[in-house]
Amino acid sequence: MTDILDELHWRGLIAESTDEQALRAELAAGPITYYCGFDPTAPSLHIGNLVQLLAMSRFQQAGNTPLALVGGATGLIGDPKMTGERTLNDRDTVAGWVERIRRQIEPLLDFEGTYAARMVNNLDWTAELSAIDFLRDVGKHFRVGRMIAKESVSARLNSEQGISFAEFSYQILQGMDFLELYRRYGCRMQTGGHDQWGNLTSGVDLVHRVERDSVHAVATPLITKADGTKFGKTEAGTVWLDPTMTSPYAFYQFWVNADDRDVVSYLKVFSFRDRDQIAELENEVAQRPAARAAQRALAEDVTAMVHGPTETAKAVAASRALFGMGALEELEADTLRAALDEAGAARLPVGDELPTYVELLSEAGVVDSRSAARRALTDGGAYINNRRLPAETAPDARPERDELLHGRWLVLRRGKRTVGGVELV
């Protein structure tokens, strides 16, 4: 494929590039090797990193060879943040995070075949490098004026905190990565987020200065949300790829809850559905928004890529069961726990008797007060474990102990959409 750039433009995945016409010519002439870097500044990647990983996968599917760099060296320093100096993590911690992130990347690229991906670590070429060699062989090619013009560096220089020499030098380390990969593997292109543009071009400039060759950089846009809130954040915090940090159910629900105004652009970026399939889902959004067909398709696609088909099936089953379209009793304990954590679950101590339905509805948060709980009972709009409570149910009535799911949970619902849970301990 030589139309990969047209495909990426259609998907809204190219914010900037160094010389697109020259890159098109190289792609047309034959396969190129390219790379993208991921720093282990946390124990997991997050969904913002998926933009880069899936862009890498698209280039690979178009017949090019990816290098996935996990920065065991750059992760010890960290890219300068606008808000202030990073806390440096110790070497053992960073090394552990490198391995965790490598395992997250591996399922998203193909490591076999003609265009097999390769995993690389920049600690391999920096660990034995002396400070003198670093300054003489690499640092001499960087101009301070250009380095301080970088937005995050400039902002920090003009702040009360300032910026350390360590973080200031980060862009030299990243530039050196491109030079080293050019020498070792013939790497011709680096991809990254638009907020990394200064770092991307530092590598391009370094290769040009040292090797007298023109290489390429392509930046993807930062993903935004129509409502103005930050993409990849929920009330619970960052949406991580690690299932112990964001459960597969919570991960699935993040995509299911995508705004109608965002979902089509998300399908272009985060799914491999073709233009006709996305156009059909876009029509669904316009004609039947309540069905949320596009959101469900997006959620299933992305969850399956990151967590696999088994966990995706569990998340789908839990999502359906929570709203009365499946059997709660069939959900595994961990899946039910994750679903109720996401929906909102209260923990209540229990003695000889279980709490009343009124108490449970109120504590689960599906009504605002106990008087509202009594009205929900009277109106026939209250459910426990998807069982509708008859309108004549007494306010002091209680569930039976054998109704507890896995011996400890109850799912409460008011109407079709308001769900909560209680864990009895």
Side-chain angles (χ1 to χ4, degrees), residues 1-8 11 14 23-24 26-34 53-66 108-110 114-116 189 272:
M1 288 174 59
T2 57
D3 59 351
I4 179 61
L5 295 181
D6 291 335
E7 177 73 7
L8 293 178
R11 291 183 180 273
I14 297 183
L23 178 57
R24 282 181 182 275
E26 285 209 33
L27 289 167
I32 69 167
T33 297
Y34 60 100
L53 286 166
L54 298 183
M56 290 184 76
S57 181
R58 295 181 204 282
F59 272 111
Q60 185 180 31
Q61 291 180 20
N64 301 285
T65 303
L108 298 172
L109 297 172
D110 186 355
T114 305
Y115 309 108
M189 180 180 71
F272 286 92

Side-chain angles (χ1 to χ4, degrees), residues 326-340:
L328 289 165
E329 295 79 9
E330 295 178 3
L331 300 181
E332 295 179 4
D334 288 346
T335 303
L336 179 62
R337 179 195 297 275
L340 290 181

Side-chain angles (χ1 to χ4, degrees), residues 57-349:
S57 181
R58 295 181 204 282
F59 272 111
Q60 185 180 31
Q61 291 180 20
N64 301 285
T65 303
L67 304 171
L69 185 150
V70 183
T74 43
L76 291 167
I77 304 299
D79 190 26
K81 297 189 299 182
M82 300 286 256
T83 54
E85 198 80 8
R86 290 180 181 271
T87 300
L88 298 182
N89 297 297
D90 64 63
R91 291 175 181 271
D92 289 342
T93 297
V94 172
W97 291 352
V98 166
E99 290 307 310
R100 291 179 65 163
I101 289 171
R102 285 169 63 102
R103 290 195 294 270
Q104 291 174 352
I105 293 173
E106 285 172 351
L108 298 172
L109 297 172
D110 186 355
F111 286 82
E112 298 179 353
T114 305
Y115 309 108
R118 182 189 295 267
M119 201 78 72
V120 293
N121 185 341
N122 54 22
L123 192 62
D124 292 344
W125 53 83
T126 56
E128 304 303 322
L129 186 66
S130 72
I132 293 297
D133 289 340
F134 175 69
L135 293 173
R136 281 177 58 87
D137 297 340
V138 184
K140 70 178 181 180
H141 297 291
F142 286 78
R143 297 296 174 261
V144 172
R146 293 194 64 177
M147 293 175 70
I148 64 177
K150 183 184 173 187
E151 185 179 6
S152 60
V153 173
S154 176
R156 289 277 296 281
L157 282 171
N158 295 317
S159 69
E160 291 184 6
Q161 285 186 319
I163 186 170
S164 70
F165 178 73
E167 287 197 2
F168 180 68
S169 302
Y170 178 90
Q171 59 188 291
I172 302 179
L173 288 172
Q174 187 165 327
M176 187 173 68
D177 289 343
F178 202 165
L179 177 61
E180 193 65 31
L181 295 174
Y182 172 92
R183 288 170 169 171
R184 292 186 178 208
Y185 306 108
C187 184
R188 304 288 305 166
M189 180 180 71
Q190 181 183 8
T191 62
H194 195 245
D195 59 335
Q196 290 285 308
W197 185 245
N199 292 332
L200 299 181
T201 55
S202 70
V204 171
D205 292 342
L206 181 61
V207 173
H208 186 263
R209 285 176 179 272
V210 175
E211 300 292 343
R212 302 300 178 189
D213 196 1
S214 295
V215 291
H216 309 281
V218 174
T220 59
L222 299 181
I223 306 301
T224 58
K225 294 176 72 173
D227 63 6
T229 58
K230 189 171 182 179
F231 174 77
K233 295 282 188 179
T234 66
E235 290 184 7
T238 300
V239 182
W240 301 99
L241 304 193
D242 189 315
T244 66
M245 298 172 68
T246 298
S247 71
Y249 178 83
F251 187 89
Y252 175 86
Q253 284 299 124
F254 172 83
W255 302 104
V256 165
N257 292 330
D259 193 300
D260 286 346
R261 296 168 293 176
D262 294 320
V263 67
V264 173
S265 64
Y266 289 175
L267 280 164
K268 291 178 178 180
V269 172
F270 295 102
S271 84
F272 286 92
R273 291 176 183 258
D274 62 29
R275 299 186 186 207
D276 290 342
Q277 291 172 318
I278 292 176
E280 185 176 338
L281 289 168
E282 184 174 15
N283 185 60
E284 287 284 327
V285 174
Q287 300 299 323
R288 299 192 307 134
R292 302 189 74 75
Q295 282 88 343
R296 292 200 311 274
L298 172 68
E300 291 184 28
D301 286 356
V302 186
T303 308
M305 279 191 288
V306 173
H307 296 298
T310 300
E311 290 299 329
T312 302
K314 291 179 183 179
V316 172
S319 182
R320 290 179 57 81
L322 228 58
F323 293 97
M325 295 177 285
L328 289 165
E329 295 79 9
E330 295 178 3
L331 300 181
E332 295 179 4
D334 288 346
T335 303
L336 179 62
R337 179 195 297 275
L340 290 181
D341 284 347
E342 188 68 12
R347 299 180 83 237
L348 295 179

Side-chain angles (χ1 to χ4, degrees), residues 336-409:
L336 179 62
R337 179 195 297 275
L340 290 181
D341 284 347
E342 188 68 12
R347 299 180 83 237
L348 295 179
V350 61
D352 293 335
E353 289 187 312
L354 298 185
T356 66
Y357 289 128
V358 166
E359 292 169 334
L360 290 167
L361 289 164
S362 177
E363 292 295 334
V366 298
V367 293
D368 295 332
S369 63
R370 294 193 179 187
S371 59
R374 285 190 285 271
R375 287 195 299 273
L377 280 176
T378 303
D379 295 341
Y383 295 77
I384 182 166
N385 292 351
N386 290 338
R387 174 173 64 83
R388 182 175 173 274
L389 297 173
E392 59 272 17
T393 301
D396 59 353
R398 307 169 190 270
E400 297 296 330
R401 197 170 289 273
D402 61 8
E403 291 185 77
L404 296 179
L405 300 167
H406 296 286
R408 61 192 311 159
W409 287 291

Side-chain angles (χ1 to χ4, degrees), residues 42-58:
S44 173
L45 297 178
H46 52 75
I47 60 173
N49 299 122
L50 276 179
V51 180
Q52 303 310 319
L53 286 166
L54 298 183
M56 290 184 76
S57 181
R58 295 181 204 282

